[in-house]
Amino acid sequence: MKINKKHFAIFIIIASLILIIGAYYIANLDDNIQYGKIKKEMKGVRISKDTQELIENVTVSINGSIDKSKDMFTFNGEVQLSNLEHSKGNNSLLVYSNGYGKDDLEKRGIISYVRNIVVNGKTVPGFAKVNWVNTDSKFSYLVLANYEDDCINSPYEDSIRIFQGNDIIVFPAEDAESAIKLIKEHQINQEIFLKTSLEDYGLN
């Protein structure tokens, strides 16, 4: 079978372009950046900051993509919590610091959810936030606290922001005892047990 010279030439050109683009991509790729997909579900508990007793059983469903570097990682996708309505059906963004800098800043993250509310018949865009997040880039565990109850960062005169700082959500955990054990094992800052409010952060 004869090889069509024209087709062969086109093949060589395409193959060369692929090699050139591939070489350029590899040469300019930051070796410290890693990408991946995560999909998992965990069962956990919500415990009281005051008494450290069980409040309710909860679940989390995680499905999205993660970008990792030395100092931080970001997650884009679903982090749906069974007891937080604003987390259902909305994509989230988790920005997480691995601890860096002169004083080795604490490892912690913030989850933001895009969310809209209707105020006086008008839709107001905003963000729901979980302000204290401890985890790792594999989501092998997840500890959440200090999440805003209505979670709206919209104009002050149009909304009410309530800071819910009275409980902690822990995954995976079967009861309050296993939740406390996980918090200790991962050396999570014990300030997580302090009750806080918007006033503490000068946001009210």
Side-chain angles (χ1 to χ4, degrees), residues 20 24 29 50 58 64 72-73 77 80 90 97-99 109 119 128 130-131 144 164 166-167 171 177 186 199:
I20 291 169
Y24 177 82
L29 183 64
D50 285 329
V58 292
M72 65 179 293
F73 68 84
Q80 297 189 16
N90 290 319
S97 164
N98 288 326
V119 178
V130 179
N131 295 284
L144 308 172
Q164 176 59 272
N166 299 329
D167 50 48
F171 304 96
E177 183 179 352
H186 290 283
E199 288 85 352

Side-chain angles (χ1 to χ4, degrees), residues 173-192:
E174 298 178 354
D175 49 33
E177 183 179 352
S178 58
I180 299 300
K181 182 179 179 182
L182 184 147
I183 289 172
K184 290 180 178 178
E185 284 179 351
H186 290 283
Q187 299 180 336
I188 293 171
N189 191 328
Q190 295 300 292
E191 287 185 4
I192 195 172

Side-chain angles (χ1 to χ4, degrees), residues 8-26:
F8 182 73
I10 292 173
F11 171 79
I12 293 297
I13 291 171
I14 292 173
S16 299
L17 286 172
I18 291 172
L19 288 173
I20 291 169
I21 292 170
Y24 177 82
Y25 177 80
I26 292 171

